[in-house]
Amino acid sequence: MIPFHELLFFILAALVLVISPGPNMIYLISKSITQGKKSGFISLIGVVCGFLFHIVMVSFGLTAVLFAVPIAYTVLKTVGIIYLLYLAYQAIKPKSKNIFEVDENGSHDSPKKLFSIGFLTSMLNPKVAVFYLSLFPQFIKPEYGSVLIQSLELGVIQVLVSFSVNFLIILTAARVALFFAHNPAWIRVQKWFMASVLTCLAIKMAFSKAK
């Protein structure tokens, strides 16, 4: 088992990761506000499962193989970039719906779709795998026991931190809808800002390199 004082540093690093703006946070806020807290929670389960995918890959050494083969990393990264650009287009396309606008027509995505998109949003982000690969080795030491168990331990802690913070975000995101309801002039600004953020994330991902 990893000593508690070292786990505290890891928890701090995991907290920094989750509060950093990214596609996961944007997606969760969007669904929480437009479709309600229940939809946001289902989306969060999908995001968490995406984290679990990366954790399993790292724990069993598969991610190391992925990054050792340039074409494998390139394929995953390309899919992620295309997906982010697609989300950016959806934000500003003609007659697009404001992500902060409460859906009053009862038109909600199915739980399966919410979960699937949340899962893909998390899984198709190679930066998550890079984070795990660069951080886990700093806390895992043979003298602490099984390397596999230590890796899974860190993974579980990261998931718990991410789930807790994002759950709080889901609970408070709906309040933003009230602001836009009373300030409609900001809706267009919000759409272009969201599209810009997503595009910047895609560009940043495009220039990222395998470790």
Side-chain angles (χ1 to χ4, degrees):
M1 299 292 290
I2 302 174
F4 181 72
H5 68 277
E6 293 195 21
L7 288 179
L8 289 178
F9 285 104
F10 179 79
I11 291 174
L12 178 59
L15 181 61
V16 171
L17 172 67
V18 70
I19 64 177
S20 300
N24 290 343
M25 181 181 292
I26 292 173
Y27 178 69
L28 292 175
I29 291 176
S30 170
K31 293 306 176 184
S32 298
I33 292 175
T34 60
Q35 297 187 24
K37 296 176 183 178
K38 181 179 179 181
S39 295
F41 181 75
I42 295 174
S43 300
L44 175 57
I45 298 300
V47 169
V48 167
C49 287
F51 282 134
L52 292 176
F53 167 82
H54 287 290
I55 290 169
V56 170
M57 293 283 282
V58 170
S59 298
F60 288 93
L62 296 179
T63 307
V65 175
L66 177 67
F67 282 94
V69 182
I71 186 63
Y73 176 84
T74 301
V75 170
L76 179 59
K77 183 175 71 172
T78 300
V79 173
I81 293 170
I82 293 174
Y83 185 65
L84 287 175
L85 292 176
Y86 167 77
L87 292 178
Y89 170 73
Q90 290 295 310
I92 61 174
K93 71 177 182 179
K95 298 182 179 180
S96 63
K97 183 178 177 63
N98 167 34
I99 68 169
F100 289 106
E101 180 183 350
V102 177
D103 191 342
E104 299 178 348
N105 298 319
S107 177
H108 289 238
D109 293 332
S110 67
K112 180 180 179 181
K113 184 176 181 180
L114 290 168
F115 175 88
S116 298
I117 297 180
F119 176 76
L120 291 174
T121 300
S122 180
M123 187 191 72
L124 295 178
N125 185 0
K127 299 296 288 185
V128 175
V130 171
F131 173 83
Y132 288 149
L133 277 178
S134 61
L135 195 65
F136 278 26
Q138 300 182 41
F139 294 89
I140 296 175
K141 298 179 181 179
E143 56 265 32
Y144 295 156
S146 169
V147 172
L148 175 60
I149 297 300
Q150 292 181 64
S151 182
L152 292 175
E153 179 183 2
L154 293 175
V156 170
I157 291 175
Q158 190 277 328
V159 167
L160 289 176
V161 171
S162 177
F163 180 87
S164 300
V165 174
N166 282 312
F167 186 71
L168 291 176
I169 290 175
I170 289 172
L171 292 178
T172 59
R175 296 179 181 177
V176 182
L178 296 176
F179 171 81
F180 281 100
H182 294 89
N183 299 273
W186 284 94
I187 293 178
R188 186 175 179 83
V189 174
Q190 170 269 313
K191 288 184 177 182
W192 280 97
F193 174 76
M194 189 63 63
S196 298
V197 170
L198 290 167
T199 301
C200 288
L201 289 171
I203 293 174
K204 184 177 180 180
M205 185 181 294
F207 285 96
S208 65
K209 297 180 180 179
K211 301 295 181 182

